[in-house]
Amino acid sequence: MTTYRDTIRLLRKGDKTADAFTSAINAYDPAATRRTPTATLEHFITAKIPTAHENTITEALRMGQMFIHVFSEPNTANNVINRIRNEIIKRFGRDSVFHKKAMTLMFVHRADMVKKSKDYAAKIEAKNAEPDKVNASTILKIVEDVRGDIPTIALQIQLATGGRIGEVLATSYFKAVDTMVIQTGVSKVRGGAALKIVKPLLCYSAGVFNKLFNIMRALIDIDKRRTDETPADISNRLNASILNRLKEITGGEITKSHTLRKLYALAAWKTRPDAFKKYSQQAFYAHVLGHANLNTAKSYSTVEIIDDSKKDDHIDR
Protein backbone atom coordinates (compact mmCIF):
# COMPACT_ATOMS: atom_id res chain seq x y z
CA MET A 1 0.00 0.00 0.00
CA THR A 2 1.43 3.40 -1.01
CA THR A 3 1.46 6.49 1.21
CA TYR A 4 -0.83 9.48 0.79
CA ARG A 5 1.86 11.83 -0.52
CA ASP A 6 3.37 9.17 -2.79
CA THR A 7 -0.07 8.66 -4.30
CA ILE A 8 -0.43 12.41 -4.93
CA ARG A 9 2.97 12.60 -6.62
CA LEU A 10 2.20 9.54 -8.74
CA LEU A 11 -1.07 11.08 -9.92
CA ARG A 12 0.49 14.45 -10.72
CA LYS A 13 3.26 12.89 -12.80
CA GLY A 14 1.23 10.15 -14.51
CA ASP A 15 -1.44 10.07 -17.20
CA LYS A 16 -4.42 12.36 -16.57
CA THR A 17 -7.04 9.71 -17.22
CA ALA A 18 -9.79 8.16 -15.14
CA ASP A 19 -8.11 4.72 -15.43
CA ALA A 20 -4.78 6.06 -14.16
CA PHE A 21 -6.54 7.79 -11.27
CA THR A 22 -8.51 4.68 -10.29
CA SER A 23 -5.43 2.46 -10.40
CA ALA A 24 -3.36 4.79 -8.21
CA ILE A 25 -6.11 5.42 -5.65
CA ASN A 26 -6.97 1.72 -5.34
CA ALA A 27 -3.33 1.00 -4.49
CA TYR A 28 -3.55 3.54 -1.66
CA ASP A 29 -7.09 2.73 -0.46
CA PRO A 30 -8.64 -0.60 -1.57
CA ALA A 31 -12.02 0.59 -0.22
CA ALA A 32 -12.11 3.12 -3.06
CA THR A 33 -13.29 0.38 -5.41
CA ARG A 34 -16.75 0.75 -3.85
CA ARG A 35 -16.99 4.45 -4.74
CA THR A 36 -17.45 6.35 -7.99
CA PRO A 37 -14.31 8.20 -9.24
CA THR A 38 -15.80 11.59 -8.29
CA ALA A 39 -16.70 10.42 -4.77
CA THR A 40 -13.26 8.84 -4.44
CA LEU A 41 -11.50 12.09 -5.34
CA GLU A 42 -13.62 14.09 -2.88
CA HIS A 43 -13.03 11.56 -0.09
CA PHE A 44 -9.29 11.39 -0.83
CA ILE A 45 -8.90 15.16 -0.40
CA THR A 46 -11.39 15.94 2.39
CA ALA A 47 -10.27 13.06 4.64
CA LYS A 48 -6.92 14.76 5.24
CA ILE A 49 -8.02 18.40 5.50
CA PRO A 50 -8.74 18.31 9.27
CA THR A 51 -5.27 17.03 10.25
CA ALA A 52 -2.72 17.21 7.42
CA HIS A 53 -0.01 19.85 7.03
CA GLU A 54 -0.87 22.75 4.72
CA ASN A 55 1.75 21.63 2.20
CA THR A 56 0.17 18.19 1.94
CA ILE A 57 -3.29 19.68 1.46
CA THR A 58 -1.91 22.04 -1.19
CA GLU A 59 -0.42 19.11 -3.10
CA ALA A 60 -3.72 17.25 -2.86
CA LEU A 61 -5.64 20.27 -4.18
CA ARG A 62 -3.27 20.67 -7.12
CA MET A 63 -3.75 17.01 -7.96
CA GLY A 64 -7.51 17.38 -7.52
CA GLN A 65 -7.90 20.21 -10.00
CA MET A 66 -6.06 18.10 -12.59
CA PHE A 67 -8.46 15.18 -12.30
CA ILE A 68 -11.82 16.61 -11.29
CA HIS A 69 -12.57 17.70 -14.84
CA VAL A 70 -11.56 14.31 -16.29
CA PHE A 71 -14.62 12.46 -15.00
CA SER A 72 -16.95 15.17 -13.63
CA GLU A 73 -19.42 17.28 -15.54
CA PRO A 74 -19.23 21.02 -14.71
CA ASN A 75 -22.08 21.05 -12.20
CA THR A 76 -20.73 17.99 -10.36
CA ALA A 77 -17.23 19.47 -10.32
CA ASN A 78 -18.53 22.70 -8.78
CA ASN A 79 -20.44 20.75 -6.11
CA VAL A 80 -17.33 18.77 -5.17
CA ILE A 81 -15.20 21.93 -5.04
CA ASN A 82 -17.75 23.61 -2.77
CA ARG A 83 -17.74 20.67 -0.35
CA ILE A 84 -13.93 20.69 -0.27
CA ARG A 85 -14.07 24.43 0.32
CA ASN A 86 -16.42 23.96 3.29
CA GLU A 87 -13.97 21.54 4.93
CA ILE A 88 -11.14 24.05 4.45
CA ILE A 89 -13.26 26.83 5.99
CA LYS A 90 -14.04 24.61 9.00
CA ARG A 91 -10.35 24.24 9.78
CA PHE A 92 -8.73 27.46 8.58
CA GLY A 93 -11.58 30.00 8.50
CA ARG A 94 -13.28 31.81 5.61
CA ASP A 95 -10.95 34.84 5.80
CA SER A 96 -7.74 32.86 6.10
CA VAL A 97 -4.88 33.14 3.62
CA PHE A 98 -4.95 29.39 3.08
CA HIS A 99 -8.63 29.44 2.13
CA LYS A 100 -7.97 32.02 -0.57
CA LYS A 101 -4.94 30.07 -1.78
CA ALA A 102 -6.95 26.85 -1.89
CA MET A 103 -9.72 28.39 -3.99
CA THR A 104 -7.15 29.76 -6.42
CA LEU A 105 -5.72 26.26 -6.80
CA MET A 106 -9.06 24.57 -7.32
CA PHE A 107 -10.24 27.13 -9.86
CA VAL A 108 -6.95 27.46 -11.75
CA HIS A 109 -8.63 25.98 -14.82
CA ARG A 110 -11.66 28.28 -14.65
CA ALA A 111 -11.41 29.05 -18.39
CA ASP A 112 -11.40 25.34 -19.13
CA MET A 113 -14.44 24.89 -16.90
CA VAL A 114 -16.35 27.61 -18.75
CA LYS A 115 -15.52 26.01 -22.08
CA LYS A 116 -16.50 22.58 -20.81
CA SER A 117 -19.78 24.01 -19.46
CA LYS A 118 -20.61 25.33 -22.91
CA ASP A 119 -19.63 22.05 -24.53
CA TYR A 120 -21.74 20.18 -21.97
CA ALA A 121 -24.75 22.42 -22.66
CA ALA A 122 -24.41 21.73 -26.38
CA LYS A 123 -24.11 17.99 -25.66
CA ILE A 124 -27.28 18.02 -23.56
CA GLU A 125 -29.17 19.98 -26.21
CA ALA A 126 -28.17 17.45 -28.86
CA LYS A 127 -29.09 14.55 -26.60
CA ASN A 128 -32.49 16.07 -25.82
CA ALA A 129 -33.33 16.07 -29.50
CA GLU A 130 -33.64 12.26 -29.33
CA PRO A 131 -35.43 10.99 -26.18
CA ASP A 132 -34.39 7.87 -24.32
CA LYS A 133 -36.81 5.01 -24.92
CA VAL A 134 -37.47 2.56 -22.09
CA ASN A 135 -39.71 -0.49 -22.31
CA ALA A 136 -42.51 -0.73 -19.76
CA SER A 137 -41.49 -4.34 -19.04
CA THR A 138 -38.03 -3.10 -18.05
CA ILE A 139 -39.55 -0.72 -15.51
CA LEU A 140 -41.62 -3.58 -14.07
CA LYS A 141 -38.44 -5.59 -13.51
CA ILE A 142 -37.28 -2.90 -11.07
CA VAL A 143 -40.65 -2.71 -9.33
CA GLU A 144 -40.99 -6.46 -8.92
CA ASP A 145 -37.44 -7.29 -7.76
CA VAL A 146 -37.75 -8.89 -4.30
CA ARG A 147 -34.13 -9.03 -3.10
CA GLY A 148 -34.81 -6.41 -0.45
CA ASP A 149 -31.26 -5.11 -0.09
CA ILE A 150 -30.15 -1.47 -0.08
CA PRO A 151 -29.27 -1.11 -3.81
CA THR A 152 -32.54 -2.69 -4.98
CA ILE A 153 -34.82 -0.81 -2.58
CA ALA A 154 -33.02 2.48 -3.31
CA LEU A 155 -33.84 2.09 -7.01
CA GLN A 156 -37.45 1.22 -6.18
CA ILE A 157 -37.84 4.25 -3.91
CA GLN A 158 -36.32 6.50 -6.56
CA LEU A 159 -38.67 5.18 -9.24
CA ALA A 160 -41.67 5.60 -6.93
CA THR A 161 -40.82 9.16 -5.81
CA GLY A 162 -38.42 10.76 -8.28
CA GLY A 163 -36.02 11.60 -5.45
CA ARG A 164 -32.30 12.01 -6.07
CA ILE A 165 -30.37 8.90 -5.06
CA GLY A 166 -28.59 10.83 -2.30
CA GLU A 167 -31.97 12.00 -0.97
CA VAL A 168 -33.32 8.46 -1.04
CA LEU A 169 -30.33 7.07 0.85
CA ALA A 170 -29.56 9.78 3.35
CA THR A 171 -30.66 13.38 3.13
CA SER A 172 -34.47 13.19 2.80
CA TYR A 173 -37.30 11.45 4.61
CA PHE A 174 -40.19 9.95 2.63
CA LYS A 175 -43.63 8.99 3.93
CA ALA A 176 -46.52 7.80 1.78
CA VAL A 177 -50.12 8.70 2.60
CA ASP A 178 -52.81 7.19 0.36
CA THR A 179 -51.73 7.94 -3.23
CA MET A 180 -49.26 10.70 -2.34
CA VAL A 181 -45.77 10.80 -0.85
CA ILE A 182 -44.32 13.54 1.34
CA GLN A 183 -40.62 14.22 0.90
CA THR A 184 -38.98 16.22 3.68
CA GLY A 185 -35.57 17.65 2.78
CA VAL A 186 -34.42 18.59 -0.73
CA SER A 187 -30.82 18.59 -1.97
CA LYS A 188 -29.25 21.25 -4.21
CA VAL A 189 -31.77 23.91 -3.13
CA ARG A 190 -30.98 26.76 -0.74
CA GLY A 191 -32.77 26.03 2.54
CA GLY A 192 -33.78 22.65 1.17
CA ALA A 193 -33.31 20.76 4.44
CA ALA A 194 -36.59 22.20 5.75
CA LEU A 195 -38.59 21.94 2.52
CA LYS A 196 -41.49 19.53 2.08
CA ILE A 197 -42.72 18.29 -1.29
CA VAL A 198 -46.07 16.56 -1.67
CA LYS A 199 -46.24 14.59 -4.91
CA PRO A 200 -47.81 11.49 -6.47
CA LEU A 201 -46.69 8.06 -5.30
CA LEU A 202 -46.07 5.57 -8.12
CA CYS A 203 -45.75 1.78 -8.38
CA TYR A 204 -46.63 0.81 -4.80
CA SER A 205 -49.39 1.17 -2.25
CA ALA A 206 -48.64 3.51 0.66
CA GLY A 207 -48.24 0.62 3.08
CA VAL A 208 -45.77 -1.29 0.90
CA PHE A 209 -43.79 1.85 0.08
CA ASN A 210 -43.41 2.86 3.75
CA LYS A 211 -42.30 -0.68 4.58
CA LEU A 212 -39.67 -0.65 1.83
CA PHE A 213 -38.36 2.76 2.87
CA ASN A 214 -38.14 1.80 6.55
CA ILE A 215 -36.33 -1.46 5.74
CA MET A 216 -33.77 0.37 3.60
CA ARG A 217 -33.12 3.03 6.23
CA ALA A 218 -32.80 0.36 8.93
CA LEU A 219 -30.18 -1.43 6.85
CA ILE A 220 -28.32 1.85 6.32
CA ASP A 221 -28.39 2.55 10.06
CA ILE A 222 -26.86 -0.87 10.68
CA ASP A 223 -24.09 -0.04 8.19
CA LYS A 224 -23.55 3.31 9.89
CA ARG A 225 -23.14 1.73 13.32
CA ARG A 226 -20.81 -0.93 11.96
CA THR A 227 -18.52 1.32 9.90
CA ASP A 228 -18.91 4.66 11.71
CA GLU A 229 -19.78 6.38 8.42
CA THR A 230 -22.09 9.35 8.02
CA PRO A 231 -25.15 8.94 5.78
CA ALA A 232 -23.39 10.99 3.10
CA ASP A 233 -20.36 8.65 3.26
CA ILE A 234 -22.66 5.66 2.84
CA SER A 235 -24.37 7.35 -0.10
CA ASN A 236 -21.04 7.87 -1.85
CA ARG A 237 -19.97 4.30 -1.10
CA LEU A 238 -23.20 2.79 -2.40
CA ASN A 239 -23.49 4.74 -5.65
CA ALA A 240 -21.42 2.28 -7.67
CA SER A 241 -23.26 -0.80 -6.36
CA ILE A 242 -26.62 0.86 -7.05
CA LEU A 243 -25.67 1.60 -10.65
CA ASN A 244 -24.40 -1.95 -11.09
CA ARG A 245 -27.68 -3.31 -9.74
CA LEU A 246 -29.65 -1.05 -12.10
CA LYS A 247 -27.70 -2.35 -15.11
CA GLU A 248 -28.16 -5.94 -13.90
CA ILE A 249 -31.92 -5.68 -13.38
CA THR A 250 -32.57 -3.90 -16.68
CA GLY A 251 -30.10 -5.88 -18.76
CA GLY A 252 -28.19 -2.69 -19.53
CA GLU A 253 -31.24 -0.91 -20.94
CA ILE A 254 -30.99 1.69 -18.15
CA THR A 255 -27.47 2.64 -17.08
CA LYS A 256 -28.07 5.76 -14.95
CA SER A 257 -30.30 6.16 -11.92
CA HIS A 258 -30.94 9.68 -13.21
CA THR A 259 -33.15 8.03 -15.86
CA LEU A 260 -35.47 6.81 -13.10
CA ARG A 261 -36.17 10.44 -12.16
CA LYS A 262 -37.11 11.13 -15.77
CA LEU A 263 -39.41 8.10 -15.83
CA TYR A 264 -41.03 9.15 -12.57
CA ALA A 265 -41.64 12.70 -13.79
CA LEU A 266 -43.24 11.49 -17.03
CA ALA A 267 -45.44 8.83 -15.41
CA ALA A 268 -46.47 11.15 -12.56
CA TRP A 269 -47.38 13.87 -15.07
CA LYS A 270 -49.53 11.52 -17.14
CA THR A 271 -51.37 10.21 -14.06
CA ARG A 272 -51.36 13.39 -11.96
CA PRO A 273 -54.40 14.03 -9.76
CA ASP A 274 -56.67 17.06 -10.12
CA ALA A 275 -54.68 19.04 -7.54
CA PHE A 276 -51.84 19.29 -10.08
CA LYS A 277 -53.91 20.05 -13.19
CA LYS A 278 -53.11 23.77 -12.86
CA TYR A 279 -49.37 23.13 -13.35
CA SER A 280 -47.65 23.32 -16.71
CA GLN A 281 -45.56 20.22 -17.44
CA GLN A 282 -42.33 22.11 -16.81
CA ALA A 283 -43.62 23.56 -13.52
CA PHE A 284 -44.87 20.13 -12.44
CA TYR A 285 -41.46 18.56 -13.14
CA ALA A 286 -39.71 21.32 -11.18
CA HIS A 287 -42.04 20.75 -8.22
CA VAL A 288 -41.90 16.96 -7.96
CA LEU A 289 -38.16 16.70 -8.72
CA GLY A 290 -37.12 19.48 -6.33
CA HIS A 291 -35.69 22.03 -8.77
CA ALA A 292 -35.29 25.68 -7.90
CA ASN A 293 -35.93 26.89 -11.45
CA LEU A 294 -38.09 25.77 -14.35
CA ASN A 295 -35.31 25.61 -16.94
CA THR A 296 -33.70 22.61 -15.27
CA ALA A 297 -36.87 20.60 -15.92
CA LYS A 298 -36.25 20.71 -19.68
CA SER A 299 -33.58 18.02 -19.47
CA TYR A 300 -36.07 15.66 -17.80
CA SER A 301 -38.53 15.63 -20.69
CA THR A 302 -36.21 13.43 -22.77
CA VAL A 303 -37.61 9.98 -22.05
CA GLU A 304 -40.33 7.86 -23.60
CA ILE A 305 -42.01 4.77 -22.12
CA ILE A 306 -42.67 2.08 -24.73
CA ASP A 307 -45.63 -0.23 -24.08
CA ASP A 308 -44.12 -3.57 -25.08
CA SER A 309 -46.79 -5.67 -23.36
CA LYS A 310 -50.34 -6.33 -24.53
CA LYS A 311 -51.60 -7.14 -21.07
CA ASP A 312 -52.68 -4.49 -18.59
CA ASP A 313 -50.35 -4.94 -15.63
CA HIS A 314 -51.30 -2.97 -12.52
CA ILE A 315 -48.60 -3.02 -9.88
CA ASP A 316 -49.83 -2.56 -6.33
CA ARG A 317 -47.55 -4.53 -4.06
Side-chain angles (χ1 to χ4, degrees):
M1 183 179 293
T2 56
T3 67
Y4 188 82
R5 296 194 71 171
D6 285 344
T7 302
I8 293 173
R9 294 188 181 108
L10 176 63
L11 288 168
R12 291 185 64 188
K13 293 178 180 179
D15 295 334
K16 303 304 179 287
T17 65
D19 288 343
F21 173 84
T22 300
S23 177
I25 293 294
N26 288 349
Y28 167 73
D29 178 15
T33 57
R34 299 194 298 266
R35 305 187 188 99
T36 63
T38 303
T40 297
L41 176 64
E42 180 181 343
H43 182 269
F44 183 80
I45 296 175
T46 57
K48 292 292 183 179
I49 290 176
T51 57
H53 190 277
E54 289 184 17
N55 291 344
T56 301
I57 300 173
T58 298
E59 288 188 48
L61 292 175
R62 284 180 175 146
M63 178 278 297
Q65 57 87 3
M66 291 178 180
F67 279 92
I68 194 168
H69 311 298
V70 172
F71 40 69
S72 294
E73 299 295 359
N75 288 341
T76 303
N78 278 327
N79 290 336
V80 171
I81 289 171
N82 285 333
R83 287 193 287 270
I84 292 173
R85 178 188 183 189
N86 289 337
E87 292 301 315
I88 291 172
I89 290 174
K90 284 182 185 177
R91 176 176 173 185
F92 298 99
R94 186 180 298 273
D95 298 325
S96 65
V97 173
F98 187 77
H99 172 232
K100 295 176 182 178
K101 177 182 178 181
M103 288 304 94
T104 301
L105 288 171
M106 290 303 289
F107 284 104
V108 69
H109 289 322
R110 173 63 96 175
D112 291 342
M113 285 187 67
V114 171
K115 181 180 182 300
K116 188 168 183 179
S117 294
K118 292 179 180 178
D119 293 343
Y120 181 60
K123 174 183 171 184
I124 291 298
E125 186 175 347
K127 184 178 180 181
N128 289 349
E130 182 64 31
D132 297 328
K133 296 181 179 180
V134 180
N135 289 317
S137 61
T138 300
I139 300 171
L140 288 176
K141 289 178 183 177
I142 300 172
V143 176
E144 295 176 334
D145 196 294
V146 295
R147 271 173 278 195
D149 54 12
I150 294 174
T152 301
I153 299 178
L155 293 171
Q156 292 169 335
I157 297 297
Q158 186 173 41
L159 183 62
T161 67
R164 298 174 178 89
I165 203 66
E167 294 171 341
V168 168
L169 291 171
T171 59
S172 298
Y173 179 80
F174 295 84
K175 182 175 182 180
V177 180
D178 296 327
T179 60
M180 307 297 287
V181 63
I182 303 168
Q183 176 183 343
T184 304
V186 180
S187 302
K188 300 184 179 180
V189 176
R190 188 179 297 276
L195 289 180
K196 288 188 177 182
I197 300 176
V198 179
K199 52 187 173 180
L201 172 68
L202 302 184
C203 304
Y204 305 100
S205 66
V208 169
F209 173 86
N210 289 332
K211 182 178 180 180
L212 284 171
F213 181 75
N214 290 335
I215 288 172
M216 182 194 67
R217 283 296 174 87
L219 291 172
I220 289 175
D221 283 345
I222 290 172
D223 272 1
K224 181 180 177 182
R225 288 195 294 271
R226 186 173 64 241
T227 62
D228 196 30
E229 290 179 313
T230 67
D233 290 335
I234 293 172
S235 176
N236 288 335
R237 174 168 60 81
L238 287 170
N239 275 337
S241 61
I242 289 171
L243 290 179
N244 288 336
R245 180 60 53 82
L246 178 61
K247 295 171 187 175
E248 176 200 333
I249 294 174
T250 66
E253 186 174 340
I254 304 176
T255 59
K256 297 180 179 179
S257 65
H258 189 72
T259 303
L260 300 187
R261 278 167 53 80
K262 294 183 180 182
L263 292 168
Y264 169 83
L266 177 60
W269 168 253
K270 289 183 175 294
T271 60
R272 67 195 185 283
D274 290 341
F276 294 99
K277 296 293 185 183
K278 62 182 180 180
Y279 285 77
S280 68
Q281 185 173 3
Q282 202 166 326
F284 178 80
Y285 278 24
H287 170 75
V288 299
L289 297 176
H291 291 147
N293 63 73
L294 298 182
N295 289 332
T296 310
K298 290 181 180 178
S299 63
Y300 286 81
S301 59
T302 59
V303 69
E304 181 180 344
I305 300 174
I306 306 299
D307 184 3
D308 59 337
S309 174
K310 294 183 179 179
K311 62 182 180 179
D312 182 16
D313 284 319
H314 175 67
I315 303 301
D316 185 17
R317 288 176 51 194

